[in-house]
Amino acid sequence: MKLWKYEWTLLLRSKVAVAGLVLLAALTVASLISGVQRIDSQREAIARIAGLQAEDMAALVAKNGPSQDAGTAAYYSFHPTWNPPSPLAFAAVGMRDVAPFVLRVRALGLEAQIHDGDAFNPELALAGRFDFAFLLTFLAPLFVIVLFHDLRSAERESGRERTLASLPGSLTRLYGRRAVVRGLALTVSLGVPFAVVAIQQGVPALQIVGVLGLMVAYLAFWIAVALLVAWRSWASSTNAATLAAVWVTVALVLPALSNVAIERAIPVEQGAEIARAQREAVNGAWDIPREDTMQRFYAKYPEWSQSAPLGTAFHYKWYLAFHQNGDDSVAPMSAAYRAGIEKRTDAANSLGWVLPPVGLQAALTRMAGTDMQAHLAYQDRIRAYHAQLRRFYYGFLFGDRPFREEDYGRAPEFTP
């Protein structure tokens, strides 16, 4: 126990080590605060949905007056959907920082609505949000380098290693204890603030343990790399430069190159292309005979084919029919887009077994429910809800049923 106490004393006497640990703890707290503020702002935005929706619907009812119409209601009624964050989302914001977590949809063509909302600025998303996952993935290895690059070389350069070698006990055990102490110091600086905030945010205990386990494993990887370099008979400055080069290569260069390689190997159409194609199909429907539009719609949706024939006047069931035809026309593009995104995600996740920074990011966002799979699942919930909306409004339009003011409140509500 005295030897362990002595190693802790040596560590705390080092101004560089203490300054590094204090800075790491401060950055950890800052990253946690940043993540919590971001997720809290999203929760507040979601909490305001009900009130704003009620105001919007009241204004719509007042605008339409006593003569309510199902087509007008379907056209002008926006229905909110939202993707609530998980308790752990503050630690790894992930896709929630670049993809919409609230989307208002109408009973019109869905593909344009989804992919319009899916657009984001890639330059803003490039650096990523400063959250706990970012700190742990990219900055924590630098602190490992600071504490471990001179683990042995400092003793050798000062001439103390020969004296230490003459004392009872092996140098391997001495350096082993020193490595464990420094590793524990890093773990405490990162883990304690995270655990405190996670408990406050109501994160399940198993998830807290899982994140801490990933953190320890990731630190152990970089400590092992640092020890391999530190055990060489190099100067401390050479060790630091070598470890910095390894960090740049493993944490920055290789993931970026791999991402480019994945994008080239698995080409995917942009979501904006799907939205554009859907709009072109919808706009082109104005120039097509209405009978052709309805025949195509009824062929795919025969449950509505018993509706009364169209007259010469404009009717919303024709309008909604060619919107749905527009969605159906881009369905292969949408399916290919989805399959390509999933292939890219799978390839990136597989890369995580080779590149620990990539694997850590993927694991943390998966646990937090903020990865691409979670975003695609949200889109699936939107599609299912949109189908409910269409059935609701189609029942009035194609069944020639009157739409009354109280029917606005009977429209399906989204359930996340």
Side-chain angles (χ1 to χ4, degrees):
M1 291 299 296
K2 290 183 179 180
L3 294 176
W4 288 100
K5 183 179 179 181
Y6 177 71
E7 291 298 336
W8 279 106
T9 302
L10 285 180
L11 177 66
L12 297 178
R13 284 181 179 176
S14 172
K15 294 181 179 180
V16 173
V18 171
L21 292 171
V22 171
L23 178 59
L24 178 59
L27 288 174
T28 302
V29 172
S31 69
L32 294 169
I33 292 175
S34 174
V36 169
Q37 289 179 341
R38 178 63 172 175
I39 297 304
D40 281 349
S41 68
Q42 294 186 1
R43 290 195 178 104
E44 291 172 2
I46 291 173
R48 291 194 299 268
I49 289 176
L52 295 174
Q53 178 67 10
E55 292 180 9
D56 190 45
M57 295 306 293
L60 178 61
V61 172
K63 178 182 177 181
N64 288 340
S67 59
Q68 305 294 330
D69 175 72
T72 303
Y75 184 85
Y76 287 104
S77 297
F78 286 85
H79 301 269
T81 70
W82 60 93
N83 185 21
S86 70
L88 187 60
F90 74 92
V93 177
M95 288 293 297
R96 298 191 67 89
D97 203 34
V98 295
F101 60 92
V102 174
L103 185 65
R104 301 172 74 216
V105 297
R106 295 186 288 172
L108 307 182
L110 179 63
E111 294 301 330
Q113 299 180 71
I114 279 188
H115 294 292
D116 271 352
D118 223 16
F120 61 91
N121 188 336
E123 292 184 358
L124 296 178
L126 183 61
R129 174 158 292 273
F130 181 60
D131 55 13
F132 183 73
F134 180 92
L135 172 73
L136 183 58
T137 303
F138 298 108
L139 300 186
L142 295 177
F143 290 89
V144 173
I145 293 173
V146 170
L147 292 185
F148 283 84
H149 76 281
D150 62 348
L151 184 72
R152 182 185 178 191
S153 57
E155 302 293 347
R156 189 176 59 253
E157 291 168 356
S158 64
R160 291 192 298 266
E161 189 174 55
R162 291 184 179 181
T163 303
L164 293 173
S166 64
L167 297 176
S170 67
L171 283 176
T172 302
R173 290 183 178 179
L174 184 148
Y175 290 131
R177 285 194 300 271
R178 190 162 299 176
V180 170
V181 166
R182 296 185 182 190
L184 286 174
L186 289 170
T187 301
V188 169
S189 298
L190 286 164
V192 170
F194 165 77
V196 171
V197 175
I199 292 172
Q200 291 176 343
Q201 293 294 310
V203 180
L206 286 178
Q207 280 197 327
I208 296 177
V209 173
V211 173
L212 293 177
L214 287 172
M215 180 192 73
V216 170
Y218 188 67
L219 289 176
F221 165 77
W222 283 105
I223 290 173
V225 173
L227 291 176
L228 287 175
V229 173
W231 215 252
R232 311 283 294 181
S233 298
W234 294 341
S236 297
S237 58
T238 303
N239 291 343
T242 302
L243 289 171
V246 172
W247 172 76
V248 170
T249 302
V250 175
L252 301 177
V253 176
L254 289 181
L257 292 177
S258 300
N259 184 56
V260 172
I262 289 173
E263 289 182 353
R264 291 187 176 182
I266 309 174
V268 177
E269 289 283 350
Q270 295 296 319
E273 292 297 320
I274 300 175
R276 181 185 60 81
Q278 194 268 356
R279 284 200 178 93
E280 289 180 352
V282 168
N283 292 334
W286 292 97
D287 303 322
I288 299 174
R290 296 198 296 177
E291 293 75 13
D292 293 348
T293 296
M294 299 310 296
Q295 286 178 5
R296 178 181 172 187
F297 177 80
Y298 290 144
K300 190 169 182 63
Y301 305 98
E303 63 270 25
W304 309 112
S305 61
Q306 301 303 315
S307 179
L310 292 173
T312 57
F314 172 83
H315 200 294
Y316 267 108
K317 65 181 177 183
W318 165 65
Y319 184 78
L320 266 66
F322 71 66
H323 264 268
Q324 186 57 43
N325 288 346
D327 266 3
D328 294 338
S329 68
V330 299
M333 292 179 62
S334 181
Y337 174 82
R338 173 68 173 263
I341 291 295
E342 290 179 340
K343 286 182 181 179
R344 282 184 176 180
T345 302
D346 291 341
N349 291 339
S350 299
L351 188 65
W353 293 101
V354 182
L355 295 175
V358 177
L360 179 66
Q361 283 275 358
L364 289 176
T365 53
R366 179 86 288 252
M367 291 177 64
T370 58
D371 61 347
M372 178 58 75
Q373 292 175 344
H375 177 60
L376 294 177
Y378 172 47
Q379 287 190 348
D380 289 339
R381 294 193 293 274
I382 294 175
R383 294 181 191 280
Y385 176 60
H386 186 263
Q388 296 177 27
L389 287 177
R390 287 192 294 108
R391 285 193 296 269
F392 174 75
Y393 288 110
Y394 286 1
F396 291 96
L397 289 169
F398 292 92
D400 296 308
R401 290 162 44 201
F403 189 87
R404 298 179 176 85
E405 182 176 327
E406 57 269 21
D407 290 321
Y408 282 99
R410 296 192 176 103
E413 295 184 357
F414 178 75
T415 303

